[in-house]
Amino acid sequence: MPQRKGLENHTVGSGFILVGFSDHSSLQGLCFTVFLAIYLMVLTGNSLIALITVVDSSLHTPMYFFLRNFSILEICYTSVTLPKMLVGFLMADGRISFLGCAAQMYFLVLLGSIECLFLAAMAYDRYIAICDPLHYILIMSRGLCVRMVVGSWVFVVPVQIGQTYQVFTLPFCASHDLHHFFCDVTPLLKLACADTFWNEVILYTLVLVFVILPFSLIILSYIKIIKAILKIPSVLGRRKAFSTCSSHLGVVTLFFGSATAVYLKQWSKDSADTDKYFALMYTSVTPMFNPRIYSLRNKEVKIALKRLLWTK
């Protein structure tokens, strides 16, 4: 026991090294430029979406209430990882402190889990709008929307505090080289020199609750939505109904597709490189495309953008 305690103290003092792109040192400058551009687009695009849903009264509806919260969440989500990655590329230094790594992992899994719940809430909103339009205003009240957002935070915060505590009380007595771009649960557990069986059980339980269950609810909602759309007699009516869902469906496909590929793959060393690139997709690339998806495929957002940009 004294020996393990010493190892834990050593871990706290030395922290970790984020290997990331270090195998391709010649690409550091290019990577910095690319990810700086991605980060700026994430900040600009999501800030613009959040702004127009506040200032334009025509967008004061439940769908855009969720979209505003989702866009703000996307800004926070990318800010957990990208600034540290940019510093690492610029300084060619992937070191991160033990507490810094714990904080990064906590906010990453916290915000990622809440995003999944928000996407499920947005799918429920579309389900009510299309399948029960006469009661939409009554069901999707302002109070319900606020409770769904606040409830997501209240539910997820303590759960992810517990997971973070369990991961970072493990002894990391092997190599401190973290073969990833940021501190995530799976690569951290691979560095632990203790039995991580229960950590893995907890991890996959939380994946079930915060990823698989929301995704299943989204799929179920869209099955019912598609059935309702197919019953609409006019082609124009079907097209209009589907257009109100296409943006959300595109975001769901991007986010859950890449996230599921990472967390549901078998644990193997061969998949480590693939996993970290998939992780870049849902932490960096997907938040960049989300504002484009909503602005390009949503007439209401495009009209609101024109009003905002052209107003003197």
Side-chain angles (χ1 to χ4, degrees):
M1 287 300 293
Q3 184 181 3
R4 172 169 290 188
K5 185 175 181 180
L7 289 168
E8 290 173 353
N9 289 337
H10 175 68
T11 301
V12 173
S14 59
F16 301 94
I17 299 175
L18 299 171
V19 177
F21 284 115
S22 63
D23 294 337
H24 308 284
S25 56
S26 60
L27 299 178
Q28 297 284 342
L30 176 62
C31 292
F32 175 81
T33 303
V34 170
F35 282 96
L36 176 61
I38 289 175
Y39 189 44
L40 292 176
M41 284 189 280
V42 169
L43 295 179
T44 303
N46 285 285
S47 297
L48 194 57
I49 292 293
L51 177 62
I52 62 172
T53 57
V54 171
V55 301
D56 197 300
S57 58
S58 67
L59 301 183
H60 291 177
T61 63
M63 181 175 78
Y64 294 108
F65 171 78
F66 288 121
L67 179 57
R68 177 167 64 251
N69 282 275
F70 186 77
S71 296
I72 294 170
L73 200 64
E74 290 279 63
I75 293 172
C76 298
Y77 190 52
T78 54
S79 296
V80 172
T81 57
L82 280 182
K84 177 62 181 175
M85 284 174 57
L86 291 172
V87 171
F89 292 140
L90 189 63
M91 307 298 294
D93 184 2
R95 289 177 296 179
I96 185 170
S97 68
F98 186 84
L99 293 178
C101 190
Q104 188 179 65
M105 193 203 87
Y106 169 70
F107 285 108
L108 184 72
V109 295
L110 169 70
L111 298 172
S113 299
I114 294 175
E115 279 200 1
C116 294
L117 297 180
F118 277 11
L119 287 171
M122 293 165 78
Y124 177 71
D125 171 78
R126 291 300 83 203
Y127 162 72
I128 297 297
I130 293 175
C131 298
D132 195 5
L134 297 179
H135 298 94
Y136 177 74
I137 296 176
L138 181 64
I139 296 174
M140 296 304 297
S141 64
R142 176 77 176 180
L144 176 63
C145 295
V146 171
R147 287 195 296 273
M148 291 173 79
V149 169
V150 173
S152 298
W153 284 92
V154 171
F155 177 49
V156 176
V157 166
V159 172
Q160 296 299 358
I161 286 176
Q163 180 178 219
T164 304
Y165 174 80
Q166 288 192 322
V167 171
F168 282 89
T169 51
L170 290 170
F172 296 99
C173 52
S175 169
H176 290 185
D177 289 346
L178 199 63
H179 292 275
H180 214 286
F181 303 108
F182 46 82
C183 294
D184 203 357
V185 182
T186 303
L188 281 165
L189 291 182
K190 290 180 179 179
L191 289 185
C193 61
D195 184 9
T196 60
F197 172 77
W198 288 110
N199 297 90
E200 294 173 31
V201 170
I202 292 170
L203 171 61
Y204 284 106
T205 300
L206 295 183
V207 169
L208 175 65
V209 173
F210 294 124
V211 180
I212 304 302
L213 183 58
F215 185 63
S216 300
L217 293 174
I218 291 170
I219 295 297
L220 181 62
S221 297
Y222 273 102
I223 290 173
K224 293 181 177 294
I225 287 170
I226 291 170
K227 287 182 178 179
I229 290 175
L230 292 177
K231 292 179 181 178
I232 299 174
S234 72
V235 175
L236 184 62
R238 290 197 296 269
R239 188 175 299 171
K240 184 178 180 181
F242 184 74
S243 68
T244 65
C245 304
S246 58
S247 299
H248 176 257
L249 194 57
V251 172
V252 166
T253 303
L254 276 174
F255 183 83
F256 280 100
S258 53
T260 303
V262 173
Y263 285 104
L264 296 187
K265 288 176 65 177
Q266 292 183 350
W267 285 48
S268 66
K269 293 182 179 179
D270 295 337
S271 68
D273 287 339
T274 306
D275 289 350
K276 70 181 183 182
Y277 290 116
F278 270 118
L280 277 182
M281 276 291 296
Y282 71 81
T283 57
S284 304
V285 180
T286 300
M288 176 185 67
F289 282 115
N290 288 349
R292 293 176 177 272
I293 292 172
Y294 274 105
S295 61
L296 293 177
R297 299 188 61 85
N298 191 305
K299 290 183 179 179
E300 291 177 321
V301 172
K302 285 192 285 187
I303 293 170
L305 276 171
K306 289 178 181 178
R307 280 199 291 261
L308 177 66
L309 298 174
W310 291 350
T311 300
K312 296 182 180 180

